[in-house]
Amino acid sequence: MPRLIKNGAVLSDEQWQAANPDADAAGPGSIATLSQWEALGDKQDSAVQLEPGDGVEALLPHLDELALVAVNFPVFTDGRGFSYARELRERGYRGELRAVGGFIRDQLHYLSRCGFDAFQLADESQLEEAVASLGDFSEHYQAAIDQPLPLFRRRA
Amino acid sequence: MYVYDEYDQRIIDERVAQFRDQTQRYLAGKITEEQFLPLRLQNGLYVQRLAPMMRIAVPYGLLNSKQLRKVAHITRQYDKGYAHISTRQNIQLNWPLLEEVPDILEELASVQMHAVQTSGNCIRNTTTDQFAGVARDELEDPRPYCEIIRQWSTFHPEFAFLPRKFKIAVCASEEDRAAIHAHDIGIELVPNASGEIGFKVLAGGGLGRTPVIGSVVNEWLDKQHLLTYLEAILRVYNQHGRRDNKFKARIKILVKAMGIEAFREAVEKEWAALKDGPSTLTGEEIARAKSFFTDPAYGTIDGAASESALQAQATAEPIFGNWLKRNTVAHRVPGYQAVTVSLKQTGQAPGDITDVQLELLADLADQYSFGEIRSTHQQNMVLADVRQQDLYPLWQSLQKAGLATANIGYLTDVICCPGGDYCSLANAKSIPVAEAIQARFDDMDYVYDLGPLELNISGCMNACGHHHIGHIGILGVDKKGQEFYQVSLGGSQAKDASLGKILGPSFKQEDMPDVMAKILNTYVDLRGEEETFLDTYRRVGIDPFKERVYAKAD
Ligand code: SF4
């Protein structure tokens, strides 16, 4: 059972199994790879994991049906997932958006600004400490998912 | 100049705290070397040959005297008493200690400075014309837009892990003094058919291993759309830029691979979703940004009288007259002039400045130029608002401090990266080549006779010395473990931007002054009346230079 940070707290995920790219199809309760997910007949309450390069296009017609979108960061320096998250949220996705893979604690704040609300860090032992990084900044210049108005529209 | 309010200050203070914590965790072994790398880079700290180096941001090259004094203090307290002005208008320290960087950042934050995003694969410091706001050929002051871009790009959550570094330059004048064609995004303020000023947007320019001149993505963009449009470009780049090969990761490679049409289409598609959203600039925000760049309290001066008094001084003291001619430019306000402080004295690494010189400049800025000073991408400094009647005493002070070498825009005003003396990426040293050339061509009459000439030197393909766009470019190359130098001719960073063409096989370091002499002699022999080096090169091509330089000694 993976442990993760969700909505600012550490908890265990009892619902979803990690994606298995070697399986022909995603089993019930497991996160599907994009190709497994595309093959699903019924996408209601489904979960899919995006890899860098997948893009969000295929998901757009089904945003209301998805329960979970996981975005994988095979290496933390590959920032494509930041754009995927923002695009999904801007196009109206409201379900769980989970960062998985090799991203690091020091990216949590930016990730959450881009719309991620769940973080499955590779090193589970660091989760409790890592929560603090979510709050690295209390104010921001740009509009993002957490604060849709840029500072210039809010400056007192 | 822009002044922080409590929001700006809070954001920058929180950044210092964040990096202090990260540094402590790194020193405690809780962050790996690999994970710490982008964190420290985005705080200006990069490790070089001899020690960590630190790049302090100078947003669009603008500083006040208080900040300059703080930099002087930092070089003394944490470094060896000197700093280096980079080709992107930033200030570099050569010897800071990693453990002390959080303290340096805290000192900087106390005077509204930082080292944010001066390195790493993120949006870097936005640069512009060093004569912004005072130039006669300017359509509108570009700095308010630079500041708007600075704020937008600072800690942008989506674009901190781009495929590669990303540089934006803005220009608003007839003569392009910001090299916008050589940037990932170049922005030019231009009027549309009905005379309204907006932005022409270029993308995909850049130097480095594969130099490319930027292509126009948008001929005219309404000002209010600046940020949403930039966001659309960055979003296309972040998702589609190559990440498999560091040398093919800049946006120029993406634009080339897609073709400008397809790239523009992709940008327009992203933009359609962002356009008119909350990031659309408001009239109030543009007005707020502009309010920081209003005119200082210029005196009302009889321009003609002031001019003739100045000319009389120049005639009476020809050394002063010469400096006046070479190192100052006209100002849009009568009775004022903009002064370039040369950091190119022979015997001193180009762009280096000591703590004492920094403090002197701070005093001179207070005394003569409304307390402001600018750094230039040619690695000099500028006092932009000097009364003509103050030029003489200013010159005297500068001269005593070794800051009045009358060579701005001439051969010995060499643009030069730190190279092999400091930089771990270097193939070859660059500073000794610059110094050897400055020493060889020490006859200033000859140098003036050569006319405007830009010599740019880089120690490796990364092209920090912008060698591709120098009229003469020198690139350090490695030949079987030996330092060699490749020469290119005909580059230009002006509006008619062009990339230099390689002359031929590379040369040994000790041969470089002779090679330069042959190139310059060829020009002198072939030049037509009033022809600059670049004019002649463009007329006759590279062959006559090649023949002369590679001719067998007889
Ligand atoms: S051009 Fe090369 S040698 Fe020179 S500073 Fe840049 S990376 Fe270092």
Side-chain angles (χ1 to χ4, degrees), chain B residues 9-251:
Chain B
Q9 191 66 49
R10 191 192 330 161
I11 290 170
I12 226 63
D13 290 344
E14 287 178 350
R15 174 60 152 204
V16 176
Q18 181 195 40
F19 189 63
R20 194 179 285 287
D21 175 58
Q22 289 167 343
T23 305
Q24 275 157 7
R25 282 191 280 125
Y26 168 70
L27 293 171
K30 289 188 183 167
I31 303 183
T32 67
E33 196 72 49
E34 189 200 358
Q35 293 171 344
F36 189 56
L37 177 71
L39 306 180
R40 65 169 165 74
L41 287 176
Q42 301 206 13
N43 285 287
L45 187 66
Y46 53 107
V47 174
Q48 291 294 26
R49 174 155 291 175
L50 303 164
M53 288 175 61
M54 187 174 175
R55 197 176 285 145
I56 298 168
V58 183
Y60 37 95
L62 199 54
L63 291 153
N64 62 33
S65 54
K66 193 174 165 192
Q67 294 173 326
L68 219 52
R69 288 190 187 97
K70 180 58 89 177
V71 173
H73 162 76
I74 287 171
T75 66
R76 233 183 342 256
Q77 176 92 10
Y78 301 94
D79 208 292
K80 295 191 177 176
Y82 68 98
H84 172 79
I85 307 297
S86 82
T87 53
R88 296 204 75 256
Q89 299 181 293
N90 289 323
I91 294 177
Q92 290 176 185
L93 301 179
N94 287 324
W95 318 92
L97 293 176
L98 168 67
E99 296 75 6
E100 293 184 342
V101 168
D103 296 334
I104 298 177
L105 294 178
E106 194 170 315
E107 296 243 21
L108 290 171
S110 73
V111 292
Q112 311 193 346
M113 289 183 81
H114 56 75
V116 171
Q117 292 166 209
T118 53
S119 200
N121 296 333
C122 50
I123 305 172
R124 303 286 189 85
N125 183 26
T126 300
T127 52
T128 191
D129 178 8
Q130 66 261 32
F131 297 120
V134 305
R136 281 192 178 164
D137 65 345
E138 184 172 278
L139 199 59
E140 191 188 325
D141 193 335
R143 294 171 301 173
Y145 307 102
C146 292
E147 177 57 27
I148 286 170
I149 295 170
R150 182 192 76 80
Q151 297 194 13
W152 164 79
S153 61
T154 297
F155 311 135
H156 198 298
E158 190 179 341
F159 306 128
F161 296 89
L162 295 169
R164 204 69 179 86
K165 57 189 168 186
F166 202 91
K167 302 175 179 180
I168 302 176
V170 185
C171 112
S173 50
E174 236 158 75
E175 184 195 338
D176 175 13
R177 287 177 291 265
I180 62 166
H181 294 270
H183 281 76
D184 295 287
I185 291 181
I187 297 175
E188 184 183 352
L189 280 96
V190 290
N192 64 5
S194 53
E196 193 187 341
I197 297 175
F199 304 112
K200 182 183 192 173
V201 183
L202 288 79
L207 300 173
R209 199 166 283 246
T210 319
V212 184
I213 301 287
S215 312
V216 178
V217 202
N218 196 323
E219 284 291 350
W220 192 86
L221 179 73
D222 192 303
K223 281 178 181 174
Q224 60 174 332
H225 300 311
L226 177 63
L227 298 184
T228 53
Y229 200 80
L230 290 179
E231 201 134 321
I233 294 179
L234 264 298
R235 201 170 264 186
V236 170
Y237 172 56
N238 190 37
Q239 295 192 51
H240 303 292
R242 281 181 65 170
R243 292 174 184 266
D244 58 332
N245 181 343
K246 174 177 164 183
F247 300 115
K248 298 198 184 309
R250 296 287 289 270
I251 194 175

Side-chain angles (χ1 to χ4, degrees), chain B residues 48 417-420 423-428 430 457-465:
Chain B
Q48 291 294 26
C417 81
C423 175
S424 59
L425 303 171
N427 286 325
S430 49
I457 308 178
S458 303
C460 79
M461 288 288 213
N462 284 317
C464 302

Side-chain angles (χ1 to χ4, degrees), chain B residues 20 36 66-67 95 102 124 158 167 177 211 272 285 307 313 326-327 332 360 366 397 432 510:
Chain B
R20 194 179 285 287
F36 189 56
K66 193 174 165 192
Q67 294 173 326
W95 318 92
R124 303 286 189 85
E158 190 179 341
K167 302 175 179 180
R177 287 177 291 265
E285 175 60 3
E307 187 68 43
Q313 282 176 313
R326 316 294 175 184
N327 290 23
R332 64 180 170 78
L360 174 78
D366 280 340
S397 304
E510 62 263 32

Side-chain angles (χ1 to χ4, degrees), chain A:
Chain A
M1 229 181 288
R3 289 186 347 118
L4 45 85
I5 300 171
K6 197 168 164 183
N7 298 322
V10 178
L11 48 82
S12 298
D13 175 24
E14 315 202 340
Q15 197 181 353
W16 297 106
Q17 308 285 325
N20 177 6
D22 298 328
D24 291 338
S30 77
I31 301 171
T33 64
L34 182 59
S35 58
Q36 291 166 352
W37 181 82
E38 285 184 301
L40 283 180
D42 179 10
K43 294 185 167 59
Q44 193 59 43
D45 299 322
S46 59
V48 65
Q49 176 164 316
L50 294 178
E51 301 295 328
D54 282 348
V56 301
E57 206 68 27
L59 275 50
L60 297 181
H62 303 282
L63 294 181
D64 291 342
E65 298 154 64
L66 278 159
L68 168 71
V69 178
V71 177
N72 188 27
F73 292 84
V75 289
F76 77 102
T77 48
D78 186 332
R80 281 176 275 191
F82 290 82
S83 286
Y84 296 169
R86 264 193 97 176
E87 288 193 321
L88 287 169
R89 291 298 192 205
E90 283 171 6
R91 309 283 196 277
Y93 176 61
R94 294 281 163 264
E96 178 177 329
L97 191 51
R98 181 184 298 185
V100 303
F103 68 97
I104 61 172
R105 166 187 167 170
D106 296 283
Q107 294 175 307
L108 285 182
H109 185 76
Y110 285 176
L111 288 166
S112 77
R113 293 213 71 209
C114 288
F116 287 100
D117 53 7
F119 310 91
Q120 192 177 327
L121 276 169
D123 182 357
E124 289 191 1
S125 71
Q126 282 202 13
L127 284 174
E128 276 77 9
E129 272 185 62
V131 174
S133 291
L134 278 171
D136 275 355
F137 292 89
S138 63
E139 189 50 91
H140 312 95
Y141 286 117
Q142 328 69 11
I145 302 306
D146 61 333
Q147 171 49 274
L149 292 182
L151 181 59
F152 67 77
R153 287 183 187 268
R154 296 181 288 112
R155 258 186 221 267

Side-chain angles (χ1 to χ4, degrees), chain B residues 171-477:
Chain B
C171 112
S173 50
E174 236 158 75
E175 184 195 338
D176 175 13
R177 287 177 291 265
I180 62 166
H181 294 270
H183 281 76
D184 295 287
I185 291 181
I187 297 175
E188 184 183 352
L189 280 96
V190 290
N192 64 5
S194 53
E196 193 187 341
I197 297 175
F199 304 112
K200 182 183 192 173
V201 183
L202 288 79
L207 300 173
R209 199 166 283 246
T210 319
V212 184
I213 301 287
S215 312
V216 178
V217 202
N218 196 323
E219 284 291 350
W220 192 86
L221 179 73
D222 192 303
K223 281 178 181 174
Q224 60 174 332
H225 300 311
L226 177 63
L227 298 184
T228 53
Y229 200 80
L230 290 179
E231 201 134 321
I233 294 179
L234 264 298
R235 201 170 264 186
V236 170
Y237 172 56
N238 190 37
Q239 295 192 51
H240 303 292
R242 281 181 65 170
R243 292 174 184 266
D244 58 332
N245 181 343
K246 174 177 164 183
F247 300 115
K248 298 198 184 309
R250 296 287 289 270
I251 194 175
K252 62 193 172 189
I253 305 289
L254 178 66
V255 173
K256 266 203 155 167
M258 291 177 79
I260 186 66
E261 300 297 329
F263 178 78
R264 186 181 298 127
E265 229 167 82
V267 170
E268 293 285 329
K269 191 170 163 230
E270 284 291 348
W271 190 41
L274 297 164
K275 190 172 177 248
D276 300 321
S279 296
T280 305
L281 286 173
T282 57
E284 295 85 74
E285 175 60 3
I286 293 176
R288 190 184 90 90
K290 282 188 178 178
S291 72
F292 292 101
F293 301 95
T294 51
D295 278 359
Y298 291 124
T300 315
I301 297 167
D302 177 346
S306 162
E307 187 68 43
S308 65
L310 185 64
Q311 287 318 320
Q313 282 176 313
T315 317
E317 193 153 350
I319 315 178
F320 168 67
N322 183 47
W323 172 83
L324 186 69
K325 183 165 162 197
R326 316 294 175 184
N327 290 23
T328 74
V329 296
H331 196 288
R332 64 180 170 78
V333 177
Y336 284 83
Q337 212 129 315
V339 171
T340 302
V341 176
S342 174
L343 303 184
K344 307 295 175 65
Q345 195 183 29
T346 301
Q348 193 182 349
D352 275 11
I353 182 161
T354 67
D355 56 339
V356 176
Q357 289 175 324
L358 284 163
E359 277 165 350
L360 174 78
L361 283 184
D363 292 344
L364 295 174
D366 280 340
Q367 207 173 345
Y368 299 122
S369 198
F370 301 99
E372 285 184 9
I373 193 144
R374 302 158 184 221
S375 52
T376 81
H377 77 270
Q378 293 94 343
Q379 304 174 295
N380 293 307
M381 300 278 242
V382 163
L383 292 164
D385 296 291
V386 182
R387 270 175 22 161
Q388 287 178 325
Q389 68 177 56
D390 293 335
L391 286 168
Y392 188 81
L394 170 63
W395 167 74
Q396 287 180 309
S397 304
L398 290 174
Q399 219 193 12
K400 271 185 223 137
L403 295 168
T405 310
N407 61 355
I408 300 306
Y410 293 93
L411 173 65
T412 55
D413 183 10
V414 187
I415 296 169
C416 179
C417 81
D421 291 295
Y422 297 104
C423 175
S424 59
L425 303 171
N427 286 325
K429 293 194 169 93
S430 49
I431 296 168
V433 177
E435 286 178 344
I437 291 169
Q438 285 172 329
R440 167 72 170 264
F441 299 98
D442 62 345
D443 173 358
M444 287 311 284
D445 288 333
Y446 178 72
V447 168
Y448 297 144
D449 178 64
L450 292 172
L453 194 55
E454 287 167 20
L455 170 61
N456 294 55
I457 308 178
S458 303
C460 79
M461 288 288 213
N462 284 317
C464 302
H466 301 170
H467 63 277
H468 302 290
I469 51 174
H471 300 160
I472 300 177
I474 297 177
L475 166 67
V477 291

